[in-house]
Amino acid sequence: MNTSLGTLPGELAGKVVTPGDRRYRMLRSTYTTVGSPAAVVVPESAGDVGAALRIARETGLRVAVRSGGHGLSGSGTNDGGLVIDLSALHRVEVIDRASRLVRVEAGARWAQVAQALAPHGLAISSGDHGNVGVGGIATGGGVGWLVRTYGLTVDHVRAVEVVLPDGTFVRADAEAEPDLLWVMRGAGAGAGIAVAFEIEAMELGDIGYVQLVAAVDPAGETLRRWAEVVREAPRELSTAVMLASRGTSTAAFITAVVSSDSPSTIREAVEPLLGIGDVTAQEAHVAPYTALVPTQHLHANNGQMATATTNGLLTDMTPDAARALATASAGPHPILVQLRSLGGAAHDPDPSATAFAHRHQNTLVVGSAFPPDGRGALATAWGSIDPHADGAYVNFESTPDEATFARAYPGATGTRVTELWQRYDPDGVLRPQWRA
Ligand SMILES: Cc1cc2nc3c(=O)[nH]c(=O)nc-3n(C[C@H](O)[C@H](O)[C@H](O)COP(=O)(O)OP(=O)(O)OC[C@H]3O[C@@H](n4cnc5c(N)ncnc54)[C@H](O)[C@@H]3O)c2cc1C
């Protein structure tokens, strides 16, 4: 097959989409970014991924890897390069129900995973949105609705099927290729293309799902009390908070998820949150986990959500940190601030066990701002939050740079990530552009 990309291998027939193709419009972009790649390859096997990488090597085209296309930096597309879109690799299967071992392909969305596992009484805590892809979360971290019960998604990855930049297929587990398994659990983007993961799921029936709205005082006392309550809470409780400006004041929209269907357990876990301040509305449900990442979340990506986003991890919610959060989310130029409780099972692994080293921080803070001046607004507001942060999560950065690497992969973790990226990808085929 002769094309503008040279002679394509027969196995890729019908799987290479160029700008003249009617499928191109639906494949060129991600959630945050409109792209103009020279071609999008849609592989249907690990062999096809290897063939796509060979095209990139022969043509010299820059590679972008995409699983669900929800990456905030838009690294799942590019202009003039080659996108490897894994969406056709989306199978989910239970390998062994007794040990809860599940095989999930990288192009599946988390709504599809939840849907497939629910009949087996299993779930994998991943993220808060059903359209996010398996590949980005399971190689980066995975701070999900049940993070304090389950830990991060990467904590439960037992094996990864990877196509290395030279086209070699490797199955990495703790016995075979432990270094590759280590780097794929938190810093996978620069080492290889994961085509599937073996993940230990959790037993899960219905969950408790409670929504509260609390007024946030300018000094941030409400936020301090929220952090205190969650820090002392049983592992069944995980919470996510969205701080939304209401003119000169701020409201905290709190979603509390309890990994139990027992009304008394749910009540006991959530009740202390009622005491954090002026709680003005509440709603409680017992629902299946699929209600949190529903298939209604599934949608095509066409660059619809341009956003400037950054994040930081807080060890303690000090009075100064709480005031900075309250200030950033109020006033004339507010940003959207989201808080995610950590702790519980997220603290269990040794910091050196995976490439996600942050095991003592208690809160993930994500700041976002939107066009027309998202970047400027975010930079101004984040300036007062940043001094309180102790590290960052690589997956919530829209414009990562060298400083992001140092915050996401501190100390010995960063040294090992750098060494392994160099070992598995000596020519920098997959290395993030901001790290080139
Ligand atoms: C609406 C929304 C909600 C979110 N909620 C959460 C949340 O609750 N918790 C959380 O932890 N994160 C969350 N995130 C952030 C999320 O973790 C990242 O955006 C993640 O990268 C998305 O994965 P994806 O496969 O959809 O990304 P893609 O855009 O497909 O990929 C982004 C990058 O990840 C790397 N990558 C992707 N797949 C692979 C692979 N198979 N092999 C190797 N590298 C790969 C590549 O560098 C790729 O360019 C959210 C993002 C959005 C937009």
PDB file of all heavy atoms in Angstrom, residues 196-232:
ATOM      1  N   ALA A 196      -2.236  -3.426  27.240  1.00  0.00           N
ATOM      2  CA  ALA A 196      -3.196  -4.024  28.185  1.00  0.00           C
ATOM      3  C   ALA A 196      -2.564  -4.116  29.567  1.00  0.00           C
ATOM      4  O   ALA A 196      -1.335  -4.133  29.702  1.00  0.00           O
ATOM      5  CB  ALA A 196      -3.613  -5.409  27.714  1.00  0.00           C
ATOM      6  N   PHE A 197      -3.434  -4.155  30.569  1.00  0.00           N
ATOM      7  CA  PHE A 197      -3.016  -4.222  31.972  1.00  0.00           C
ATOM      8  C   PHE A 197      -3.721  -5.395  32.631  1.00  0.00           C
ATOM      9  O   PHE A 197      -4.894  -5.639  32.369  1.00  0.00           O
ATOM     10  CB  PHE A 197      -3.433  -2.945  32.722  1.00  0.00           C
ATOM     11  CG  PHE A 197      -2.910  -1.680  32.115  1.00  0.00           C
ATOM     12  CD1 PHE A 197      -3.573  -1.076  31.042  1.00  0.00           C
ATOM     13  CD2 PHE A 197      -1.753  -1.084  32.590  1.00  0.00           C
ATOM     14  CE1 PHE A 197      -3.103   0.096  30.472  1.00  0.00           C
ATOM     15  CE2 PHE A 197      -1.273   0.091  32.021  1.00  0.00           C
ATOM     16  CZ  PHE A 197      -1.944   0.676  30.963  1.00  0.00           C
ATOM     17  N   GLU A 198      -3.003  -6.075  33.521  1.00  0.00           N
ATOM     18  CA  GLU A 198      -3.666  -7.020  34.421  1.00  0.00           C
ATOM     19  C   GLU A 198      -3.764  -6.316  35.770  1.00  0.00           C
ATOM     20  O   GLU A 198      -2.748  -5.907  36.345  1.00  0.00           O
ATOM     21  CB  GLU A 198      -2.873  -8.315  34.520  1.00  0.00           C
ATOM     22  CG  GLU A 198      -2.966  -9.125  33.225  1.00  0.00           C
ATOM     23  CD  GLU A 198      -2.012 -10.301  33.179  1.00  0.00           C
ATOM     24  OE1 GLU A 198      -1.651 -10.824  34.268  1.00  0.00           O
ATOM     25  OE2 GLU A 198      -1.618 -10.680  32.069  1.00  0.00           O
ATOM     26  N   ILE A 199      -4.982  -6.147  36.235  1.00  0.00           N
ATOM     27  CA  ILE A 199      -5.230  -5.329  37.420  1.00  0.00           C
ATOM     28  C   ILE A 199      -6.039  -6.140  38.430  1.00  0.00           C
ATOM     29  O   ILE A 199      -6.976  -6.847  38.058  1.00  0.00           O
ATOM     30  CB  ILE A 199      -6.016  -4.045  37.052  1.00  0.00           C
ATOM     31  CG1 ILE A 199      -5.262  -3.255  35.966  1.00  0.00           C
ATOM     32  CG2 ILE A 199      -6.242  -3.170  38.279  1.00  0.00           C
ATOM     33  CD1 ILE A 199      -5.966  -1.990  35.492  1.00  0.00           C
ATOM     34  N   GLU A 200      -5.638  -6.034  39.697  1.00  0.00           N
ATOM     35  CA  GLU A 200      -6.408  -6.691  40.750  1.00  0.00           C
ATOM     36  C   GLU A 200      -7.549  -5.766  41.146  1.00  0.00           C
ATOM     37  O   GLU A 200      -7.327  -4.682  41.695  1.00  0.00           O
ATOM     38  CB  GLU A 200      -5.484  -6.951  41.950  1.00  0.00           C
ATOM     39  CG  GLU A 200      -6.017  -8.012  42.869  1.00  0.00           C
ATOM     40  CD  GLU A 200      -4.992  -8.315  43.969  1.00  0.00           C
ATOM     41  OE1 GLU A 200      -3.804  -8.556  43.648  1.00  0.00           O
ATOM     42  OE2 GLU A 200      -5.395  -8.281  45.135  1.00  0.00           O
ATOM     43  N   ALA A 201      -8.754  -6.186  40.839  1.00  0.00           N
ATOM     44  CA  ALA A 201      -9.939  -5.376  41.140  1.00  0.00           C
ATOM     45  C   ALA A 201     -10.346  -5.588  42.601  1.00  0.00           C
ATOM     46  O   ALA A 201      -9.766  -6.407  43.311  1.00  0.00           O
ATOM     47  CB  ALA A 201     -11.077  -5.773  40.215  1.00  0.00           C
ATOM     48  N   MET A 202     -11.323  -4.820  43.059  1.00  0.00           N
ATOM     49  CA  MET A 202     -11.835  -5.002  44.425  1.00  0.00           C
ATOM     50  C   MET A 202     -13.251  -5.565  44.381  1.00  0.00           C
ATOM     51  O   MET A 202     -13.984  -5.350  43.423  1.00  0.00           O
ATOM     52  CB  MET A 202     -11.819  -3.667  45.185  1.00  0.00           C
ATOM     53  CG  MET A 202     -12.798  -2.646  44.664  1.00  0.00           C
ATOM     54  SD  MET A 202     -12.595  -0.984  45.413  1.00  0.00           S
ATOM     55  CE  MET A 202     -13.287  -1.232  47.025  1.00  0.00           C
ATOM     56  N   GLU A 203     -13.599  -6.293  45.442  1.00  0.00           N
ATOM     57  CA  GLU A 203     -14.989  -6.718  45.600  1.00  0.00           C
ATOM     58  C   GLU A 203     -15.798  -5.469  45.881  1.00  0.00           C
ATOM     59  O   GLU A 203     -15.426  -4.668  46.744  1.00  0.00           O
ATOM     60  CB  GLU A 203     -15.136  -7.640  46.832  1.00  0.00           C
ATOM     61  CG  GLU A 203     -14.286  -8.876  46.844  1.00  0.00           C
ATOM     62  CD  GLU A 203     -14.872 -10.013  46.017  1.00  0.00           C
ATOM     63  OE1 GLU A 203     -16.030  -9.870  45.558  1.00  0.00           O
ATOM     64  OE2 GLU A 203     -14.161 -11.008  45.821  1.00  0.00           O
ATOM     65  N   LEU A 204     -16.895  -5.287  45.173  1.00  0.00           N
ATOM     66  CA  LEU A 204     -17.716  -4.113  45.461  1.00  0.00           C
ATOM     67  C   LEU A 204     -19.166  -4.356  45.093  1.00  0.00           C
ATOM     68  O   LEU A 204     -19.482  -4.714  43.963  1.00  0.00           O
ATOM     69  CB  LEU A 204     -17.186  -2.886  44.690  1.00  0.00           C
ATOM     70  CG  LEU A 204     -17.722  -1.545  45.153  1.00  0.00           C
ATOM     71  CD1 LEU A 204     -17.216  -1.184  46.544  1.00  0.00           C
ATOM     72  CD2 LEU A 204     -17.354  -0.415  44.183  1.00  0.00           C
ATOM     73  N   GLY A 205     -20.021  -4.167  46.084  1.00  0.00           N
ATOM     74  CA  GLY A 205     -21.460  -4.158  45.796  1.00  0.00           C
ATOM     75  C   GLY A 205     -21.856  -2.715  45.567  1.00  0.00           C
ATOM     76  O   GLY A 205     -21.120  -1.945  44.962  1.00  0.00           O
ATOM     77  N   ASP A 206     -22.995  -2.319  46.092  1.00  0.00           N
ATOM     78  CA  ASP A 206     -23.399  -0.920  45.946  1.00  0.00           C
ATOM     79  C   ASP A 206     -22.559  -0.036  46.862  1.00  0.00           C
ATOM     80  O   ASP A 206     -21.946  -0.505  47.825  1.00  0.00           O
ATOM     81  CB  ASP A 206     -24.886  -0.765  46.290  1.00  0.00           C
ATOM     82  CG  ASP A 206     -25.770  -1.281  45.173  1.00  0.00           C
ATOM     83  OD1 ASP A 206     -25.234  -1.603  44.093  1.00  0.00           O
ATOM     84  OD2 ASP A 206     -26.985  -1.383  45.398  1.00  0.00           O
ATOM     85  N   ILE A 207     -22.543   1.247  46.555  1.00  0.00           N
ATOM     86  CA  ILE A 207     -21.778   2.213  47.350  1.00  0.00           C
ATOM     87  C   ILE A 207     -22.728   3.292  47.906  1.00  0.00           C
ATOM     88  O   ILE A 207     -23.835   3.464  47.404  1.00  0.00           O
ATOM     89  CB  ILE A 207     -20.662   2.884  46.513  1.00  0.00           C
ATOM     90  CG1 ILE A 207     -21.187   3.310  45.134  1.00  0.00           C
ATOM     91  CG2 ILE A 207     -19.511   1.931  46.287  1.00  0.00           C
ATOM     92  CD1 ILE A 207     -21.611   4.678  44.993  1.00  0.00           C
ATOM     93  N   GLY A 208     -22.253   4.004  48.909  1.00  0.00           N
ATOM     94  CA  GLY A 208     -22.995   5.161  49.416  1.00  0.00           C
ATOM     95  C   GLY A 208     -22.475   6.407  48.729  1.00  0.00           C
ATOM     96  O   GLY A 208     -21.256   6.551  48.523  1.00  0.00           O
ATOM     97  N   TYR A 209     -23.399   7.274  48.369  1.00  0.00           N
ATOM     98  CA  TYR A 209     -23.038   8.429  47.538  1.00  0.00           C
ATOM     99  C   TYR A 209     -23.806   9.626  48.100  1.00  0.00           C
ATOM    100  O   TYR A 209     -25.033   9.669  48.030  1.00  0.00           O
ATOM    101  CB  TYR A 209     -23.442   8.071  46.111  1.00  0.00           C
ATOM    102  CG  TYR A 209     -23.391   9.156  45.091  1.00  0.00           C
ATOM    103  CD1 TYR A 209     -22.187   9.716  44.713  1.00  0.00           C
ATOM    104  CD2 TYR A 209     -24.561   9.601  44.467  1.00  0.00           C
ATOM    105  CE1 TYR A 209     -22.142  10.694  43.731  1.00  0.00           C
ATOM    106  CE2 TYR A 209     -24.528  10.570  43.488  1.00  0.00           C
ATOM    107  CZ  TYR A 209     -23.311  11.115  43.120  1.00  0.00           C
ATOM    108  OH  TYR A 209     -23.265  12.077  42.154  1.00  0.00           O
ATOM    109  N   VAL A 210     -23.080  10.555  48.723  1.00  0.00           N
ATOM    110  CA  VAL A 210     -23.739  11.644  49.448  1.00  0.00           C
ATOM    111  C   VAL A 210     -23.212  12.976  48.931  1.00  0.00           C
ATOM    112  O   VAL A 210     -22.000  13.152  48.784  1.00  0.00           O
ATOM    113  CB  VAL A 210     -23.460  11.532  50.967  1.00  0.00           C
ATOM    114  CG1 VAL A 210     -24.152  12.650  51.739  1.00  0.00           C
ATOM    115  CG2 VAL A 210     -23.912  10.165  51.490  1.00  0.00           C
ATOM    116  N   GLN A 211     -24.126  13.904  48.669  1.00  0.00           N
ATOM    117  CA  GLN A 211     -23.693  15.226  48.192  1.00  0.00           C
ATOM    118  C   GLN A 211     -24.057  16.296  49.216  1.00  0.00           C
ATOM    119  O   GLN A 211     -25.185  16.332  49.713  1.00  0.00           O
ATOM    120  CB  GLN A 211     -24.341  15.528  46.855  1.00  0.00           C
ATOM    121  CG  GLN A 211     -23.705  14.685  45.766  1.00  0.00           C
ATOM    122  CD  GLN A 211     -24.245  14.983  44.394  1.00  0.00           C
ATOM    123  OE1 GLN A 211     -25.436  14.906  44.173  1.00  0.00           O
ATOM    124  NE2 GLN A 211     -23.350  15.313  43.474  1.00  0.00           N
ATOM    125  N   LEU A 212     -23.086  17.120  49.532  1.00  0.00           N
ATOM    126  CA  LEU A 212     -23.268  18.188  50.507  1.00  0.00           C
ATOM    127  C   LEU A 212     -22.817  19.498  49.871  1.00  0.00           C
ATOM    128  O   LEU A 212     -21.934  19.509  49.021  1.00  0.00           O
ATOM    129  CB  LEU A 212     -22.377  17.946  51.734  1.00  0.00           C
ATOM    130  CG  LEU A 212     -22.411  16.567  52.385  1.00  0.00           C
ATOM    131  CD1 LEU A 212     -21.262  16.427  53.356  1.00  0.00           C
ATOM    132  CD2 LEU A 212     -23.733  16.371  53.093  1.00  0.00           C
ATOM    133  N   VAL A 213     -23.408  20.584  50.318  1.00  0.00           N
ATOM    134  CA  VAL A 213     -22.923  21.899  49.896  1.00  0.00           C
ATOM    135  C   VAL A 213     -22.623  22.696  51.157  1.00  0.00           C
ATOM    136  O   VAL A 213     -23.470  22.796  52.053  1.00  0.00           O
ATOM    137  CB  VAL A 213     -23.972  22.657  49.052  1.00  0.00           C
ATOM    138  CG1 VAL A 213     -23.376  23.982  48.561  1.00  0.00           C
ATOM    139  CG2 VAL A 213     -24.427  21.815  47.871  1.00  0.00           C
ATOM    140  N   ALA A 214     -21.409  23.214  51.250  1.00  0.00           N
ATOM    141  CA  ALA A 214     -21.024  23.979  52.443  1.00  0.00           C
ATOM    142  C   ALA A 214     -20.533  25.359  52.024  1.00  0.00           C
ATOM    143  O   ALA A 214     -19.845  25.491  51.000  1.00  0.00           O
ATOM    144  CB  ALA A 214     -19.920  23.247  53.200  1.00  0.00           C
ATOM    145  N   ALA A 215     -20.879  26.361  52.816  1.00  0.00           N
ATOM    146  CA  ALA A 215     -20.341  27.713  52.566  1.00  0.00           C
ATOM    147  C   ALA A 215     -18.878  27.718  53.021  1.00  0.00           C
ATOM    148  O   ALA A 215     -18.547  27.153  54.065  1.00  0.00           O
ATOM    149  CB  ALA A 215     -21.141  28.739  53.339  1.00  0.00           C
ATOM    150  N   VAL A 216     -18.016  28.334  52.226  1.00  0.00           N
ATOM    151  CA  VAL A 216     -16.595  28.404  52.596  1.00  0.00           C
ATOM    152  C   VAL A 216     -16.294  29.818  53.092  1.00  0.00           C
ATOM    153  O   VAL A 216     -16.491  30.789  52.368  1.00  0.00           O
ATOM    154  CB  VAL A 216     -15.695  28.059  51.390  1.00  0.00           C
ATOM    155  CG1 VAL A 216     -14.223  28.234  51.739  1.00  0.00           C
ATOM    156  CG2 VAL A 216     -15.968  26.635  50.932  1.00  0.00           C
ATOM    157  N   ASP A 217     -15.838  29.930  54.325  1.00  0.00           N
ATOM    158  CA  ASP A 217     -15.497  31.233  54.887  1.00  0.00           C
ATOM    159  C   ASP A 217     -14.163  31.708  54.285  1.00  0.00           C
ATOM    160  O   ASP A 217     -13.337  30.892  53.874  1.00  0.00           O
ATOM    161  CB  ASP A 217     -15.369  31.119  56.412  1.00  0.00           C
ATOM    162  CG  ASP A 217     -14.335  30.082  56.767  1.00  0.00           C
ATOM    163  OD1 ASP A 217     -14.566  28.890  56.467  1.00  0.00           O
ATOM    164  OD2 ASP A 217     -13.262  30.449  57.296  1.00  0.00           O
ATOM    165  N   PRO A 218     -13.941  33.033  54.229  1.00  0.00           N
ATOM    166  CA  PRO A 218     -12.720  33.550  53.587  1.00  0.00           C
ATOM    167  C   PRO A 218     -11.440  33.042  54.231  1.00  0.00           C
ATOM    168  O   PRO A 218     -10.408  32.917  53.561  1.00  0.00           O
ATOM    169  CB  PRO A 218     -12.843  35.072  53.752  1.00  0.00           C
ATOM    170  CG  PRO A 218     -14.296  35.327  53.989  1.00  0.00           C
ATOM    171  CD  PRO A 218     -14.847  34.110  54.658  1.00  0.00           C
ATOM    172  N   ALA A 219     -11.470  32.730  55.520  1.00  0.00           N
ATOM    173  CA  ALA A 219     -10.252  32.242  56.178  1.00  0.00           C
ATOM    174  C   ALA A 219     -10.005  30.763  55.884  1.00  0.00           C
ATOM    175  O   ALA A 219      -8.945  30.232  56.225  1.00  0.00           O
ATOM    176  CB  ALA A 219     -10.349  32.464  57.685  1.00  0.00           C
ATOM    177  N   GLY A 220     -10.979  30.095  55.281  1.00  0.00           N
ATOM    178  CA  GLY A 220     -10.795  28.694  54.922  1.00  0.00           C
ATOM    179  C   GLY A 220     -10.971  27.710  56.073  1.00  0.00           C
ATOM    180  O   GLY A 220     -10.583  26.544  55.940  1.00  0.00           O
ATOM    181  N   GLU A 221     -11.599  28.155  57.164  1.00  0.00           N
ATOM    182  CA  GLU A 221     -11.799  27.249  58.316  1.00  0.00           C
ATOM    183  C   GLU A 221     -12.593  26.002  57.913  1.00  0.00           C
ATOM    184  O   GLU A 221     -12.311  24.892  58.374  1.00  0.00           O
ATOM    185  CB  GLU A 221     -12.527  27.988  59.454  1.00  0.00           C
ATOM    186  CG  GLU A 221     -11.624  28.519  60.549  1.00  0.00           C
ATOM    187  CD  GLU A 221     -10.677  27.454  61.107  1.00  0.00           C
ATOM    188  OE1 GLU A 221     -11.169  26.453  61.657  1.00  0.00           O
ATOM    189  OE2 GLU A 221      -9.450  27.598  60.958  1.00  0.00           O
ATOM    190  N   THR A 222     -13.595  26.193  57.064  1.00  0.00           N
ATOM    191  CA  THR A 222     -14.407  25.050  56.612  1.00  0.00           C
ATOM    192  C   THR A 222     -13.515  24.005  55.940  1.00  0.00           C
ATOM    193  O   THR A 222     -13.685  22.797  56.145  1.00  0.00           O
ATOM    194  CB  THR A 222     -15.459  25.522  55.582  1.00  0.00           C
ATOM    195  OG1 THR A 222     -16.010  26.743  56.036  1.00  0.00           O
ATOM    196  CG2 THR A 222     -16.538  24.490  55.366  1.00  0.00           C
ATOM    197  N   LEU A 223     -12.578  24.493  55.137  1.00  0.00           N
ATOM    198  CA  LEU A 223     -11.708  23.555  54.420  1.00  0.00           C
ATOM    199  C   LEU A 223     -10.772  22.836  55.389  1.00  0.00           C
ATOM    200  O   LEU A 223     -10.463  21.657  55.217  1.00  0.00           O
ATOM    201  CB  LEU A 223     -10.906  24.301  53.345  1.00  0.00           C
ATOM    202  CG  LEU A 223     -11.752  25.019  52.297  1.00  0.00           C
ATOM    203  CD1 LEU A 223     -10.862  25.742  51.282  1.00  0.00           C
ATOM    204  CD2 LEU A 223     -12.660  24.015  51.591  1.00  0.00           C
ATOM    205  N   ARG A 224     -10.327  23.569  56.401  1.00  0.00           N
ATOM    206  CA  ARG A 224      -9.456  22.929  57.410  1.00  0.00           C
ATOM    207  C   ARG A 224     -10.214  21.826  58.125  1.00  0.00           C
ATOM    208  O   ARG A 224      -9.681  20.751  58.375  1.00  0.00           O
ATOM    209  CB  ARG A 224      -8.980  23.974  58.440  1.00  0.00           C
ATOM    210  CG  ARG A 224      -7.908  24.844  57.872  1.00  0.00           C
ATOM    211  CD  ARG A 224      -6.925  25.438  58.834  1.00  0.00           C
ATOM    212  NE  ARG A 224      -7.210  25.434  60.241  1.00  0.00           N
ATOM    213  CZ  ARG A 224      -6.582  24.665  61.124  1.00  0.00           C
ATOM    214  NH1 ARG A 224      -5.674  23.812  60.725  1.00  0.00           N
ATOM    215  NH2 ARG A 224      -6.861  24.778  62.406  1.00  0.00           N
ATOM    216  N   ARG A 225     -11.486  22.109  58.451  1.00  0.00           N
ATOM    217  CA  ARG A 225     -12.262  21.090  59.162  1.00  0.00           C
ATOM    218  C   ARG A 225     -12.573  19.902  58.252  1.00  0.00           C
ATOM    219  O   ARG A 225     -12.550  18.755  58.679  1.00  0.00           O
ATOM    220  CB  ARG A 225     -13.539  21.716  59.751  1.00  0.00           C
ATOM    221  CG  ARG A 225     -13.237  22.583  60.982  1.00  0.00           C
ATOM    222  CD  ARG A 225     -14.508  22.857  61.774  1.00  0.00           C
ATOM    223  NE  ARG A 225     -15.340  23.800  61.056  1.00  0.00           N
ATOM    224  CZ  ARG A 225     -15.315  25.120  61.217  1.00  0.00           C
ATOM    225  NH1 ARG A 225     -14.502  25.655  62.120  1.00  0.00           N
ATOM    226  NH2 ARG A 225     -16.101  25.888  60.523  1.00  0.00           N
ATOM    227  N   TRP A 226     -12.833  20.195  56.955  1.00  0.00           N
ATOM    228  CA  TRP A 226     -13.041  19.085  56.000  1.00  0.00           C
ATOM    229  C   TRP A 226     -11.804  18.166  55.986  1.00  0.00           C
ATOM    230  O   TRP A 226     -11.912  16.945  56.073  1.00  0.00           O
ATOM    231  CB  TRP A 226     -13.304  19.654  54.589  1.00  0.00           C
ATOM    232  CG  TRP A 226     -13.132  18.621  53.509  1.00  0.00           C
ATOM    233  CD1 TRP A 226     -14.021  17.647  53.158  1.00  0.00           C
ATOM    234  CD2 TRP A 226     -11.972  18.407  52.680  1.00  0.00           C
ATOM    235  NE1 TRP A 226     -13.499  16.860  52.159  1.00  0.00           N
ATOM    236  CE2 TRP A 226     -12.251  17.307  51.851  1.00  0.00           C
ATOM    237  CE3 TRP A 226     -10.744  19.062  52.556  1.00  0.00           C
ATOM    238  CZ2 TRP A 226     -11.328  16.828  50.906  1.00  0.00           C
ATOM    239  CZ3 TRP A 226      -9.830  18.587  51.625  1.00  0.00           C
ATOM    240  CH2 TRP A 226     -10.123  17.484  50.808  1.00  0.00           C
ATOM    241  N   ALA A 227     -10.618  18.797  55.889  1.00  0.00           N
ATOM    242  CA  ALA A 227      -9.374  18.011  55.798  1.00  0.00           C
ATOM    243  C   ALA A 227      -9.164  17.186  57.073  1.00  0.00           C
ATOM    244  O   ALA A 227      -8.746  16.021  57.011  1.00  0.00           O
ATOM    245  CB  ALA A 227      -8.189  18.936  55.548  1.00  0.00           C
ATOM    246  N   GLU A 228      -9.488  17.797  58.220  1.00  0.00           N
ATOM    247  CA  GLU A 228      -9.332  17.096  59.503  1.00  0.00           C
ATOM    248  C   GLU A 228     -10.256  15.893  59.596  1.00  0.00           C
ATOM    249  O   GLU A 228      -9.847  14.798  59.996  1.00  0.00           O
ATOM    250  CB  GLU A 228      -9.707  18.056  60.638  1.00  0.00           C
ATOM    251  CG  GLU A 228      -8.528  18.529  61.463  1.00  0.00           C
ATOM    252  CD  GLU A 228      -8.989  19.643  62.383  1.00  0.00           C
ATOM    253  OE1 GLU A 228      -9.993  19.479  63.121  1.00  0.00           O
ATOM    254  OE2 GLU A 228      -8.348  20.694  62.307  1.00  0.00           O
ATOM    255  N   VAL A 229     -11.515  16.104  59.185  1.00  0.00           N
ATOM    256  CA  VAL A 229     -12.500  15.009  59.241  1.00  0.00           C
ATOM    257  C   VAL A 229     -12.054  13.866  58.343  1.00  0.00           C
ATOM    258  O   VAL A 229     -12.059  12.692  58.744  1.00  0.00           O
ATOM    259  CB  VAL A 229     -13.905  15.519  58.818  1.00  0.00           C
ATOM    260  CG1 VAL A 229     -14.838  14.353  58.514  1.00  0.00           C
ATOM    261  CG2 VAL A 229     -14.496  16.405  59.900  1.00  0.00           C
ATOM    262  N   VAL A 230     -11.624  14.209  57.131  1.00  0.00           N
ATOM    263  CA  VAL A 230     -11.273  13.139  56.196  1.00  0.00           C
ATOM    264  C   VAL A 230     -10.017  12.408  56.656  1.00  0.00           C
ATOM    265  O   VAL A 230      -9.899  11.189  56.527  1.00  0.00           O
ATOM    266  CB  VAL A 230     -11.091  13.696  54.764  1.00  0.00           C
ATOM    267  CG1 VAL A 230     -10.671  12.592  53.813  1.00  0.00           C
ATOM    268  CG2 VAL A 230     -12.388  14.327  54.279  1.00  0.00           C
ATOM    269  N   ARG A 231      -9.099  13.148  57.242  1.00  0.00           N
ATOM    270  CA  ARG A 231      -7.855  12.520  57.706  1.00  0.00           C
ATOM    271  C   ARG A 231      -8.130  11.448  58.764  1.00  0.00           C
ATOM    272  O   ARG A 231      -7.472  10.412  58.819  1.00  0.00           O
ATOM    273  CB  ARG A 231      -6.967  13.617  58.295  1.00  0.00           C
ATOM    274  CG  ARG A 231      -5.530  13.238  58.394  1.00  0.00           C
ATOM    275  CD  ARG A 231      -4.733  14.444  58.828  1.00  0.00           C
ATOM    276  NE  ARG A 231      -3.356  14.066  58.981  1.00  0.00           N
ATOM    277  CZ  ARG A 231      -2.327  14.849  58.727  1.00  0.00           C
ATOM    278  NH1 ARG A 231      -2.517  16.071  58.321  1.00  0.00           N
ATOM    279  NH2 ARG A 231      -1.108  14.421  58.899  1.00  0.00           N
ATOM    280  N   GLU A 232      -9.121  11.715  59.606  1.00  0.00           N
ATOM    281  CA  GLU A 232      -9.463  10.775  60.679  1.00  0.00           C
ATOM    282  C   GLU A 232     -10.501   9.742  60.250  1.00  0.00           C
ATOM    283  O   GLU A 232     -10.851   8.857  61.019  1.00  0.00           O
ATOM    284  CB  GLU A 232     -10.035  11.551  61.888  1.00  0.00           C
ATOM    285  CG  GLU A 232      -9.075  12.559  62.513  1.00  0.00           C
ATOM    286  CD  GLU A 232      -7.751  11.922  62.927  1.00  0.00           C
ATOM    287  OE1 GLU A 232      -7.791  10.804  63.464  1.00  0.00           O
ATOM    288  OE2 GLU A 232      -6.684  12.516  62.663  1.00  0.00           O
TER     289      GLU A 232
END
